[in-house]
Amino acid sequence: MGRFIFGVIIGICLVAGGAFTYFMTGMAPVAATAQPMPFERFLAHAALHAKIDREAPKTAPIQPTVGNLTAGAHLYIHDCAFCHGMPSGPQSLQGRGMFPPAPALFTPRGMVTNDPVGVTFWKIKNGIRLTGMPSFERGLNTTQMWQIAWLMRDADKLPPAVSAVLAPPPAQPAKPAKSAEPRKRR
Ligand code: HEC
């Protein structure tokens, strides 16, 4: 028994020593561009899912009417597009440079249309710790967060009026360049 306990203690020391060496000698990745640590993605996702399963609301207080989706689209442009990009545009430069990268929420690969709307609401409200995803609880009210959550849930089937809000403005006809005025002499 004594030997067994001794073995366990040695084992714990070796693991702790290994982890200490890994972190203190610069082997652990810290750059946003570095590859994830062993098990990092798995552990982070498992922790997030466990938490969300417990806390995400199962019913929504508002419905995805055109009015709510339109309001969500305006909020998205203001608060989310910087990292998650627009349906028509190239993926956000900032979003791509993050670790983990911010998914392009209007592309088939990045959309969260299969997630229950309460799960997306939870992410908007609480943010995702140790990623670039902020919490919007202090900046948006509950209705606004639900409006954006519904927009994300319906991203692949938005009514034309809502898609129009997210579409790029029509190209302006080029204005004739103003002729450079000669500088006034004093
Ligand atoms: C400063 C950058 C930034 C802003 C602004 C931002 N996000 Fe995020 N968001 C991220 C990053 C980075 C992730 C990836 C987190 C991860 O992989 O765990 C993310 C993840 C998400 C996810 C989860 C995606 C998935 O596949 O599970 C959703 C949904 C989301 N964001 C919605 C929003 C909405 C809606 C807004 C605006 C209200 C917003 N985000 C604003 C950076 C941002």
Side-chain angles (χ1 to χ4, degrees):
M1 188 67 185
R3 265 191 168 186
F4 174 73
I5 292 175
F6 183 69
V8 170
I9 292 173
I10 292 286
I12 292 172
C13 289
L14 282 177
V15 171
F20 183 81
T21 314
Y22 182 69
F23 283 101
M24 300 314 279
T25 56
M27 287 199 286
V30 285
T33 47
Q35 288 298 308
M37 277 186 277
F39 304 117
E40 183 176 342
R41 199 162 281 160
F42 168 77
L43 288 174
H45 281 181
L48 184 67
H49 287 159
K51 181 85 174 162
I52 290 180
D53 279 350
R54 263 198 300 149
E55 290 190 1
K58 303 283 181 281
T59 54
I62 62 166
Q63 294 310 306
T65 57
V66 173
N68 280 328
L69 293 171
T70 305
H74 286 291
L75 292 163
Y76 180 90
I77 294 169
H78 191 261
D79 293 323
C80 323
F82 174 75
C83 290
H84 290 291
M86 294 291 286
S88 51
Q91 210 195 325
S92 148
L93 192 63
Q94 297 77 13
R96 268 191 313 180
M98 295 183 163
F99 183 89
L105 293 170
F106 282 102
T107 60
R109 239 185 116 211
M111 13 185 95
V112 290
T113 44
N114 288 332
D115 286 353
V117 67
V119 166
T120 299
F121 170 81
W122 189 98
K123 290 176 184 170
I124 297 169
K125 181 176 177 214
N126 298 290
I128 305 175
R129 198 176 170 84
L130 299 182
T131 78
M133 176 60 192
S135 154
F136 287 88
E137 195 178 12
R138 297 201 184 115
L140 299 176
N141 64 38
T142 305
T143 304
Q144 290 173 318
M145 291 189 285
W146 278 108
Q147 286 168 332
I148 314 179
W150 276 120
L151 181 82
M152 302 288 85
R153 215 294 305 265
D154 286 1
D156 56 351
K157 44 185 167 299
L158 292 174
V162 182
S163 298
V165 174
L166 296 165
Q172 301 284 329
K175 281 187 193 152
K178 270 190 190 165
S179 55
E181 279 182 21
R183 265 207 185 166
K184 277 189 188 155
R185 290 242 180 100
R186 287 190 164 202

